[in-house]
Structures are given as structure tokens and as C-alpha cells.
Amino acid sequence: LLAGLIAGLAAFGVAFAVGEPSLNAAIAIEDSDASHHHDPTEQSPVDSEGTAVPRSVQATVGLLTGTLLAGATLGGLAGILTGFALGRFGGLGPRGTALSVVAIMFVTLDLVPFVGYPPNPPGVGQADTIGQRTALYFVLMAISVIAAVMVIVLGRRAAHRWGGWYAILSSIGSYLIIISAVIVLMPAYDEVPASFPGSLLYEFRVASLGTRLTLWAALGVMLAELVYRLTRRS
């Protein structure tokens, strides 16, 4: 949990410095488009219910809370899986095992769904497909985890016959083939309006990926060091 909280704090710094500018620009475009189609005689549901959260709170307290919760959750899960994997990854020591577990989690839980269904800023995407896109995102994540577990199990068996190096290469190749085929076969959505700046969409997705990379990288480094110190004391 400690490694996850530190990683969440690092991710918050990157998200606030890199992600918030592109997010604010996208919100400004969305508000500008909405103002052109707004009927002044109608009252906004947000105004009538009074449930709007100021952007200043979303970009600070809300963002920090989200990254810390994500870091703590992923850190706890990574710690449990690392403890289970110790001694089962060939000659890897505690640090190498922790880094390998976090790398596998990053690819299966985050990178693959990101590639299949990349995040969109405000103003991109249709409201009536949010449920479908969200469901497909988690379906792809589940398939990714199942494929990763399958190739790891088969890779461990293949290592006894082919050696560790060829087992690793065959496992990575098999996983990439399976996931590539799944992404191609799953439904795709292209809902970017023609008027939305392509450069802003690119900046938003790069910032999102950078935040994720920071979270996982910090988690891997901190967890590797903590696991190493714990096993050395033992």
C-alpha cells in the first residue's frame, strides 16, 4: 500500500502538470459547442439540482483522491501477486520479481485496454455508446488477463523443455498474437467530431498514457525496493 500511495502521488503530479491543460482546453471546446445549441429559456439540470463540482476541486482534491485510490488498490494487488511469485520466476531475485509482476500488470490491465479503446477528452464520443464502450473496455481487460495467465503457465512448462529464453520469447509472441487478434475482432468506435482538433486529442491521450506510465513505473521501483528489504530482513 505504501508503494501504491507514493506511486499515486507521483501520478497526480504528472496528471496535474501535463493532463489538466489539455483537459481544460477540451472542456472549453465542449462548453463553446454547447452554448451554440443551448436554449436560454431552459434551466440546466446541474443548476436546478446544484450538484456541480467546481473545476478547481476536480483538478486538485478530486484528482489527488483518484490517483491515491488507484495507486493504493494497484499497490496492494501488486504486493500480493509479488509475494506469490517470489521464487517462481526462475533466477529472478525479489527486485526482478516485483518489477516483472508490475510490468505484466501494466500491460494486461492498462496498456492493452488503452490501445484497444483509448480515452477520449470531453466533447469526444456519443452519450448513447458510453455503456457499450465501457463494457467492451472491461471485456478486453478480462481477455488480456486470461491470455496473460495462460501464456505464463504454458511458458513455465515450456521452460523445462526449451530453456528460459525461448520460453519467454514464445510466451510474449503468443500473447501479442492473441491480443492483436482480439483487438481487431472487437467492435471499434470512431466518434471524434470533425471539428475537434486532432492535436488536442493527441495531447490528451499522450498525457493520459504518461500518467499511467508514471504510476506503474513508480509503483514498480518502490515495490521492488520494499520487497527486497523485507526479504533481506527475513
Side-chain angles (χ1 to χ4, degrees), residues 67-83:
T67 55
L68 288 178
L69 285 177
T73 302
L74 295 174
L77 179 59
I80 294 173
L81 294 178
T82 300

Side-chain angles (χ1 to χ4, degrees), residues 45-135:
V46 173
D47 295 337
S48 61
E49 298 176 5
T51 58
V53 179
R55 275 294 300 151
S56 58
V57 176
Q58 295 177 10
T60 52
V61 178
L63 180 60
L64 178 61
T65 302
T67 55
L68 288 178
L69 285 177
T73 302
L74 295 174
L77 179 59
I80 294 173
L81 294 178
T82 300
F84 177 77
L86 285 174
R88 292 181 171 85
F89 278 12
L92 289 179
R95 287 180 176 137
T97 301
L99 289 174
S100 298
V101 169
V102 172
I104 293 172
M105 290 179 62
F106 166 65
V107 173
T108 57
L109 296 177
D110 212 339
L111 185 59
V112 167
F114 179 93
V115 173
Y117 297 99
N120 291 325
V124 175
Q126 299 177 5
D128 55 353
T129 62
I130 291 179
Q132 299 174 2
R133 287 185 279 120
T134 303

Side-chain angles (χ1 to χ4, degrees), residues 1 42 64 69 203 207 212 222:
L1 291 178
E42 296 181 355
L64 178 61
L69 285 177
E203 291 176 3
R212 297 161 188 254
M222 291 301 303

Side-chain angles (χ1 to χ4, degrees), residues 88-211:
R88 292 181 171 85
F89 278 12
L92 289 179
R95 287 180 176 137
T97 301
L99 289 174
S100 298
V101 169
V102 172
I104 293 172
M105 290 179 62
F106 166 65
V107 173
T108 57
L109 296 177
D110 212 339
L111 185 59
V112 167
F114 179 93
V115 173
Y117 297 99
N120 291 325
V124 175
Q126 299 177 5
D128 55 353
T129 62
I130 291 179
Q132 299 174 2
R133 287 185 279 120
T134 303
L136 289 172
Y137 182 92
F138 285 104
V139 168
L140 180 57
M141 182 187 297
I143 295 175
S144 176
V145 172
I146 294 173
V149 172
M150 181 180 66
V151 299
I152 289 174
V153 172
L154 295 178
R156 283 175 53 83
R157 295 181 180 179
H160 297 290
R161 299 181 58 183
W162 303 343
W165 174 249
Y166 294 108
I168 291 175
L169 291 180
S170 62
S171 298
I172 294 175
S174 300
Y175 177 79
L176 291 177
I177 292 174
I178 294 172
I179 290 302
S180 298
V182 170
I183 291 177
V184 170
L185 294 175
M186 290 188 70
Y189 291 89
D190 184 10
E191 301 176 344
V192 181
S195 59
F196 195 87
S199 59
L200 180 57
L201 178 63
Y202 174 79
E203 291 176 3
F204 177 85
R205 289 178 175 175
V206 168
S208 176
L209 182 59
T211 302

